[in-house]
Amino acid sequence: MILLDGKALAAKIKAETRQKAEQMARRPGLAVILVGEDPASRVYVNGKRRDCAECGFYSEEYTLPETVCQAQLLELIEGLNERGDIDGILVQLPLPGHLNEQEVINAIDPEKDVDCFHPVNVGKLMIGREGFLPCTPAGVMALLDEYHIDPAGKRAVVVGRSNIVGKPQAILLLQRDATVTICHSRTPGLAEICRQADILVSAVGRRGLITADMAKEGAVVIDVAMNRNEEGKLCGDVDFDAVALKASYITPVPGGVGPMTRAVLMKNTLYSAQRRQNLK
Ligand code: NAP
């Protein structure tokens, strides 16, 4: 069994990104908006700030009160859309319940939508046009590539069908010629389907969901989830110790997909800056 080391690959991608950013006339700029003080969101936003510093990017952070109204948030986004020094705009999700998340995403200029959540970018992804790539699923593909795991002709099973992970993951695997099955909470016979997977991606958020009997001998197992165990430690969906005995490759949690998501965000911001400076 070989561990898919996302931490190491993310560090490599960030170093390459920094090198490219340093050659630019104007360094890439990312604006991150956080509404409220959800502790998990705060951790993610702090991480993004550190990543920007590591890559030599300019970054701005807006922390808005939990009670901010939709119009104020949209006004902030519209201002950032107009800014020449900002290449990426990211609104940390989830937003408090009184805000309309889809309307907020729609307000971001698709050219600055480094999360790849805007319908225009999701549409481009669907039809295979060049553009931003969704951070987590693209991070998974980069990990597969790094270890020379070619999805072509393989059976891939994606567990989870969210707009940010499961669905785009399935599309990216399909574009690389895998035969893809998407499973969700209403899928009967989940274990049986997972057992057929050469590449098994779990993106559910339920600790212990993927047990050893659900993995095929020699499968590549990717655990996207971030859960906490009883001791408060980070863990995924996969029963790691047992599944690792059957897998050919497996991601650890932490240190697998998580760092890759962050690295792709930096890559997307660089790409946006290059495009906006007519370098791409
Ligand atoms: P989500 O929006 O809650 O989606 C979860 C999906 O899992 C849904 O499609 C749901 O099905 C499905 N599901 C729930 N219970 C199931 C079951 N028993 N069997 C099969 N499928 C089941 O979550 P998400 O945003 O995609 O995130 C998924 C996990 O990945 C979370 O742990 C999250 O923290 C993590 N995550 C990690 C990263 C990273 O960088 N590593 C990035 C994003 C998310 P229905 O559609 O039928 O409800």
Side-chain angles (χ1 to χ4, degrees), residues 24-249:
M24 298 178 71
R26 179 182 62 72
R27 59 188 173 146
L30 177 69
V32 178
I33 304 172
L34 172 64
V35 181
E37 276 294 350
D38 173 61
S41 293
R42 168 49 64 194
V43 170
Y44 295 139
V45 168
N46 290 347
K48 284 161 192 167
R49 190 198 311 129
R50 279 198 306 273
D51 290 336
C52 282
E54 237 180 276
C55 293
F57 291 3
Y58 170 69
S59 73
E60 276 181 6
E61 197 178 299
Y62 296 87
T63 306
L64 306 179
E66 181 91 26
T67 51
V68 72
C69 69
Q70 182 85 2
Q72 283 170 306
L73 180 53
L74 294 181
E75 198 183 307
L76 172 60
I77 292 171
E78 277 151 25
L80 292 167
N81 282 342
E82 298 305 318
R83 290 258 304 271
D85 58 340
I86 294 295
D87 302 292
I89 303 168
L90 184 152
V91 180
Q92 186 64 47
L93 302 180
L95 291 172
H98 68 281
L99 297 170
N100 180 339
E101 220 162 79
Q102 194 55 55
E103 195 184 28
V104 169
I105 291 169
N106 291 352
I108 298 172
D109 179 350
E111 299 286 317
K112 297 189 177 186
D113 169 42
V114 285
D115 255 339
C116 194
F117 289 167
H118 192 286
V120 165
N121 291 323
V122 176
K124 282 185 175 173
L125 172 74
M126 186 79 184
I127 58 174
R129 287 252 305 272
E130 207 205 312
F132 292 120
L133 290 173
C135 299
T136 300
V140 169
M141 300 310 287
L143 254 184
L144 295 178
D145 285 338
E146 177 72 6
Y147 288 82
H148 308 289
I149 300 162
D150 183 1
K154 305 249 168 55
R155 275 190 153 256
V157 172
V158 179
V159 190
R161 58 170 164 181
S162 72
N163 288 334
I164 62 165
V165 190
K167 278 187 217 165
Q169 186 68 72
I171 290 171
L172 291 182
L173 286 162
L174 183 64
Q175 280 170 359
R176 295 285 301 276
D177 300 321
T179 300
V180 185
T181 303
I182 308 174
C183 302
H184 47 80
S185 68
R186 308 287 297 274
T187 300
L190 180 67
E192 177 62 33
I193 297 169
C194 290
R195 266 196 295 276
Q196 295 171 24
D198 302 308
I199 300 174
L200 176 61
V201 182
S202 189
V204 171
R206 192 189 262 225
R207 183 162 64 94
L209 179 74
I210 308 294
T211 49
D213 65 307
M214 295 166 82
K216 179 175 163 177
E217 200 68 50
V220 175
V221 181
I222 309 283
D223 195 347
V224 175
M226 291 198 290
N227 310 309
R228 299 261 167 204
N229 67 13
E230 298 97 347
E231 297 140 28
K233 274 182 138 167
L234 208 57
C235 62
D237 289 341
V238 175
D239 179 358
F240 182 88
D241 291 341
V243 174
L245 295 174
K246 292 178 90 177
S248 55
Y249 295 86

